[in-house]
Amino acid sequence: MATGRLGVGETLGALNTALGPGEPVWFKETRARHLRARDFLAPRPALQARFGDGQVPEHVVRAVAGLQGPGVAPVLRCELTPAGLALQLQRPAVFERVLGAVTAYAAPAAPAAPGPRVLLHCPALRGAPGALRLSQLRAVLVADHLARALRAHGASVRLVPAVRDPHMRTFLQKLRVDWPAASEKAATGALRNLPLAELSPAPDGGALPPGVLGTVCLKEVMRERGCAAGYDPNVDKCLVTEDLLSVLAELQAAVRHWPGDGPPGPAAAPDADADGCMALHVVSCEEEFQQQKLDLLWWKLDEQAPRTQKHLVCGPVKAASALTAPQYYELRHAQVCKAAALKRGREISQDPTWTEVFSVLSAATIKFEMLSTAPQSQLLLALADGSISTKGTKSGTFVMYNCARLATLFEGYKHSREQGLYPTFPPVSSLDFSLLQDEGEWLLLFNGVLPFPELLSQTAALACAAPGLHVTARTEMMCKFLVQLSMDFSSYYNRVHILGEPRPHLFGQMFARLQLLRAVREVLHAGLATLGLPPLNHI
């Protein structure tokens, strides 16, 4: 069996290189009706732009058909069609390569260089949960998901602030948000000495407001650092208080005392500054103005502050009713319990063995609602309980339901094997993957398992080298992927009987299908892990 992980990116890169110099033209097909005839396509208009009359030279077609290389999927045929240059892979060989190394496809592609240090700051976590708005909850969930994705891709991530409010810690645990805790505020002594010299007194010699240590002209900081792009033009003076210094002291301590690293620390990625640390502030749109002032003040008062500070601003959350984050959680939890009672009987909501299931389903429902839309966009939240049903195809409940169906399938095989109905699972190298002929099987592999490592990498990608204050993130990609994978699996599972009659001549196809669904399960579990959600064995 050939070794080495196949990659969609590597295959597309080799295909574009084979066409000669010019812009990339190939793309991967995803729709079932197109995948019946081809896996990749170079559209005819793009070929006409590249080759004039659209006639691809024969030697180019031969080069594409004979494509080989590290990570490149084996090609079956390449031909010119009315749609363009169509390419189909050797599907049994691709099944064999991928399903023979399932674990490799449930992990991110190895980064080209060591990841940077990322200080991930979410100011919404400094308050009590009762004051947490839905837009702030969205920022918290985005920050948690992004931290997991960055760590999976090799970055060293430090989360700030450490949560002091015990009620906030309990609330985050309900949501499966993994965030550090602390019992005391950061000491401000190191910063207090500097402000006494740097801060301006009150104008005209007047008295400062109570609790204010002095003022700083932030426009001067912007001019000194040449960083006006992206900052609000109304950012001017900042009143420096003890609380503000405490916030800066915690940020300063997080940068200077990185856990698990000794000087000089790991090599920095190109996006990180000289000390290998980049500060990323994940804020709601209501919090951004105050955070901009804090950025500039940090630069003014701490010469060792990271030179790269970026903002990921989450758009507003609109709902029919004004709810706090805890009220929103309780609403979804009640709806989950109600849906379960309607399906399995009222007594189930009182059954302690289902308590953990309801908790996970509530967190999954909220995370998929909050994270399925690009974080920079406005989010419209439907509060009715229609999104809780396992029969809907867009919800976290639907994804968790199909996760449980997979668990039930493998438990069913195990039980039947113990009864002597099925033999022990044979070595993967002995399986005949040419028996996987159903179009749903190729859909699961080609759209689900094969591209998953690159999806993980894209989820962790931050364009921090670009000028300006703001960055974008693709945190919605994972939720959309898991929903689509669940839809494809559900369609296949409803149509194909996996555990067939215990007849020896059917075992080969059954084991090939089970190995494919093992890979789907691994990918599903790995995707849920980036959301902080454990897999469920029953619903």
Side-chain angles (χ1 to χ4, degrees), residues 26 91 196 235 243 249 333 362 417 430 496:
W26 288 92
R91 293 184 176 182
L196 296 178
V235 170
D243 284 344
H333 187 268
S362 301
R417 187 200 68 207
S430 70
V496 177

Side-chain angles (χ1 to χ4, degrees), residues 295-315:
D295 290 2
L296 297 167
L297 184 62
W298 192 9
W299 275 327
K300 178 68 174 177
L301 301 183
D302 181 8
E303 61 183 16
Q304 295 186 44
R307 292 196 293 273
T308 302
Q309 293 194 65
K310 296 288 186 177
H311 285 202
L312 176 56
V313 182
C314 297

Side-chain angles (χ1 to χ4, degrees), residues 67-425:
L67 210 59
Q68 293 181 344
V72 177
V75 176
L76 175 64
R77 60 175 168 263
C78 177
E79 57 189 3
L80 199 58
T81 68
L85 197 58
L87 180 139
Q88 191 172 57
L89 300 177
Q90 298 177 26
R91 293 184 176 182
V94 175
F95 273 120
E96 181 181 357
R97 290 278 297 275
V98 175
L99 299 183
V102 167
T103 305
Y105 290 88
R117 292 175 172 180
V118 180
L119 180 70
L120 200 57
H121 174 222
C122 187
L125 289 170
R126 287 201 166 82
L132 199 65
R133 298 185 297 271
L134 293 181
S135 57
Q136 292 175 304
L137 173 62
R138 186 185 192 186
V140 171
L141 297 179
V142 167
D144 177 61
H145 176 44
L146 189 57
R148 296 174 192 272
L150 286 167
R151 283 171 173 156
H153 200 54
S156 177
V157 181
R158 186 85 187 266
L159 302 176
V160 177
V163 176
R164 289 188 292 273
D165 188 305
H167 301 293
M168 179 65 86
R169 293 200 292 268
T170 300
F171 182 59
L172 294 181
Q173 288 168 1
K174 289 181 179 180
L175 289 169
R176 268 57 183 181
V177 170
D178 186 16
W179 208 270
S183 57
E184 299 179 354
K185 286 187 175 182
T188 62
L191 284 169
R192 279 184 62 87
N193 295 331
L194 186 60
L196 296 178
E198 295 284 351
L199 301 185
S200 303
D204 303 323
L208 291 166
V212 175
L213 303 176
T215 64
V216 170
C217 179
L218 299 178
K219 287 192 182 296
E220 291 180 2
V221 181
M222 281 191 280
R223 284 194 295 269
E224 290 170 2
R225 301 191 68 91
C227 62
Y231 282 87
D232 192 303
N234 295 312
V235 170
D236 189 2
K237 292 188 179 299
C238 178
L239 299 178
V240 181
T241 65
E242 189 72 30
D243 284 344
L244 209 53
L245 288 185
S246 178
V247 171
L248 290 179
E250 185 172 17
L251 291 169
Q252 180 190 62
V255 171
R256 296 186 180 183
H257 307 291
W258 208 269
D261 290 334
D271 291 345
D273 60 25
D275 62 8
C277 181
M278 171 180 61
L280 178 61
H281 308 284
V282 183
V283 296
S284 65
C285 50
E286 301 95 337
E287 296 168 317
E288 193 199 3
F289 183 76
Q290 181 61 29
Q291 185 57 49
Q292 289 185 12
K293 296 168 72 173
L294 190 68
D295 290 2
L296 297 167
L297 184 62
W298 192 9
W299 275 327
K300 178 68 174 177
L301 301 183
D302 181 8
E303 61 183 16
Q304 295 186 44
R307 292 196 293 273
T308 302
Q309 293 194 65
K310 296 288 186 177
H311 285 202
L312 176 56
V313 182
C314 297
V317 178
K318 303 293 184 181
S321 304
L323 297 177
T324 64
Q327 289 170 337
Y328 171 51
Y329 176 85
E330 293 304 325
L331 172 68
R332 288 300 186 229
H333 187 268
Q335 290 170 340
V336 164
C337 293
K338 177 183 175 182
L342 289 173
K343 184 177 180 180
R344 297 182 176 271
R346 291 185 177 276
E347 65 279 358
I348 196 174
S349 61
Q350 308 300 323
D351 187 342
T353 61
W354 282 81
T355 301
E356 177 69 6
V357 173
F358 295 151
S359 177
V360 172
L361 287 176
S362 301
T365 299
I366 289 171
K367 288 191 172 188
F368 274 80
E369 283 180 324
M370 287 280 180
L371 296 174
S372 292
T373 300
Q376 300 81 223
S377 302
Q378 176 176 285
L379 174 62
L380 300 176
L381 205 58
L383 297 179
D385 55 7
S387 61
I388 305 301
S389 170
T390 59
K391 297 188 182 301
T393 58
K394 301 296 183 183
S395 69
T397 309
F398 176 72
V399 173
M400 302 307 291
Y401 170 64
N402 282 286
C403 180
R405 293 173 89 184
L406 274 165
T408 301
L409 171 67
F410 283 97
E411 187 60 32
Y413 163 72
K414 178 183 176 184
H415 180 69
S416 296
R417 187 200 68 207
E418 290 171 349
Q419 289 185 321
L421 296 177
Y422 296 136
T424 301
F425 207 98

Side-chain angles (χ1 to χ4, degrees), residues 105-108 145-146 148-150 152 367-368 371-375 394-396 399 448 451-460 473-486 522-533:
Y105 290 88
H145 176 44
L146 189 57
R148 296 174 192 272
L150 286 167
K367 288 191 172 188
F368 274 80
L371 296 174
S372 292
T373 300
K394 301 296 183 183
S395 69
V399 173
F452 184 68
E454 290 167 56
L455 173 78
L456 284 173
S457 301
Q458 292 164 7
T459 304
R474 300 295 307 278
T475 51
E476 78 281 4
M477 293 177 69
M478 184 57 70
C479 287
K480 289 183 175 180
F481 171 84
L482 292 175
V483 166
Q484 186 60 55
L485 179 61
S486 298
E522 289 292 318
V523 164
L524 188 58
H525 288 187
L528 289 172
T530 70
L531 299 171
L533 296 171

